[in-house]
Amino acid sequence: MPDSATPLTIGDLPAQHAKDPKTPAQARARFFNPGNAFNVILPPVPDTAFSREPEKALAADTPTSFIPCDASDVMECAFPATSPLVLAGYARIRPNDSWETTPRASGAVHYVIRGSGTSQIGEETVEWREGDLFISPGGVRHSHYAEEDSVLWIVTNEPQFRHEHAQPPALGDAPTPVVHCTAAEIKRQIDYLYEIGKNAEIPGTALIISSDVQEASRNALPTLTVAMNTLDPGITQRPHRHNSVAVSLVVKGENCYSTVDGKRKDWSPFATTITPPVSVHSHTNAGNERCFFLIVQDGGFYYHARAMGFEFVDA
Ligand SMILES: [Fe+2]
């Protein structure tokens, strides 16, 4: 509080309460003003990469477990979160073992980094192997069984649900069915894009993954977009920015790096990288082979809000 010599400003006021409330509901009200409400500063989304988590997930002695990419401490979130609305992590599942979860989310995106197995998701079964991607509805039991030693990259919008104290949709009301994209189909689709675009000298392209239910939106979930991005050797993307955050998995990328607000961030195998919202960024392939990185963004959220804010930012 200011001393008596300093004039009181509205910014100095603590939370105001109702005078003589007649009910508990009246007593619960709090009142603020532009001086003490609009200056609440949250820590920014960190420009970081999680490389220890995949190392642990892939290490020989790691038991069946889920290893989250958790930046909740630096973002001051009260629940595990990779970005404010998205949680990514690695499920290590030992051979002939299983790991069960019920995502508190509208859905989950899975990419098979290594191994093979079967996932029972409600009434449906997905038989997966390395390089496959599958999407599933939240709120139903997922039992992931590994035939071979397996690592899955799993991304959900659990932080979005926890932020709102929300629960997953009721059975049958999920915004996504179970959707399975095999590694061979993903490769076929990307090859086709390069074939069609070969005369356009495209610097790289992305396969955007959606579903029959989400076909009109082009999203994987109402708030999440999923894209397998590619870049050919020697190529740097055009610098750009958008209001969505990108949570990306390095699928294949020797000598690749990202440039975020002028700072270089080198890729490491199967790292999860965060590209903060609004940051000016581009990705560079300085290697000798086409690189692949799987990007999940909360882009559906911003598309729906008509606030994606995409623009190229050329130096
Ligand atoms: Fe981007």
Side-chain angles (χ1 to χ4, degrees), residues 229 237 240-242 244 246 275 279 281-283 295 297 310:
N229 279 47
Q237 279 182 335
H240 63 279
R241 68 175 153 216
H242 36 74
S244 53
T275 306
S279 63
H281 60 274
S282 65
H283 308 294
I295 299 186
Q297 291 191 22
F310 181 95

Side-chain angles (χ1 to χ4, degrees), residues 288-310:
N288 301 316
E289 288 186 274
R290 181 175 294 169
C291 70
F292 295 83
F293 47 114
L294 182 62
I295 299 186
V296 178
Q297 291 191 22
D298 50 9
F301 184 90
Y302 290 95
Y303 284 131
H304 183 66
R306 286 72 168 169
M308 188 57 163
F310 181 95

Side-chain angles (χ1 to χ4, degrees), residues 85-302:
L85 303 178
V86 176
L87 177 65
Y90 303 82
R92 171 67 175 273
I93 312 171
R94 309 290 304 198
N96 303 313
D97 203 357
S98 56
W99 177 71
E100 297 200 339
T101 183
T102 302
R104 183 176 168 180
S106 57
V109 179
H110 312 74
Y111 179 79
V112 184
I113 291 176
R114 184 172 86 183
S116 64
T118 303
S119 294
Q120 186 72 36
I121 303 163
E123 299 291 301
E124 287 201 53
T125 304
V126 176
E127 287 182 24
W128 43 261
R129 54 183 55 254
E130 188 172 312
D132 284 10
L133 183 147
F134 58 101
I135 303 164
S136 59
V140 296
R141 195 85 183 142
H142 292 47
S143 182
H144 301 295
Y145 172 77
E147 286 157 18
E148 298 175 284
D149 199 4
S150 298
V151 177
L152 304 178
W153 190 63
I154 302 177
V155 185
T156 69
N157 54 352
E158 284 196 17
Q160 180 188 338
F161 276 62
R162 288 183 176 266
H163 180 58
E164 284 276 20
H165 296 220
Q167 294 297 330
L171 196 63
D173 193 35
T176 185
V178 176
V179 180
H180 183 192
C181 309
T182 64
E185 186 59 35
I186 291 169
K187 180 181 183 308
R188 193 180 77 85
Q189 295 284 346
I190 291 172
D191 288 347
Y192 189 51
L193 291 177
Y194 273 96
E195 173 65 20
I196 294 288
K198 66 184 175 191
N199 295 324
E201 294 182 5
I202 50 172
T205 193
L207 179 68
I208 294 161
I209 295 173
S210 182
S211 64
D212 53 354
V213 171
Q214 288 295 329
E215 187 172 330
S217 73
R218 277 47 166 167
N219 299 337
L221 293 168
T223 55
L224 295 188
T225 57
V226 175
M228 181 66 86
N229 279 47
T230 68
L231 274 181
D232 276 339
I235 298 296
T236 294
Q237 279 182 335
R238 197 172 166 194
H240 63 279
R241 68 175 153 216
H242 36 74
N243 292 336
S244 53
V245 70
V247 175
S248 308
L249 174 73
V250 176
V251 172
K252 185 180 174 201
E254 294 276 311
N255 295 318
C256 293
Y257 60 90
S258 303
T259 306
V260 179
D261 286 334
K263 221 175 77 192
R264 176 172 165 153
K265 188 163 64 175
D266 288 313
W267 295 8
S268 60
F270 300 115
T272 295
T273 73
I274 306 176
T275 306
V278 195
S279 63
V280 176
H281 60 274
S282 65
H283 308 294
T284 297
N285 182 355
N288 301 316
E289 288 186 274
R290 181 175 294 169
C291 70
F292 295 83
F293 47 114
L294 182 62
I295 299 186
V296 178
Q297 291 191 22
D298 50 9
F301 184 90
Y302 290 95

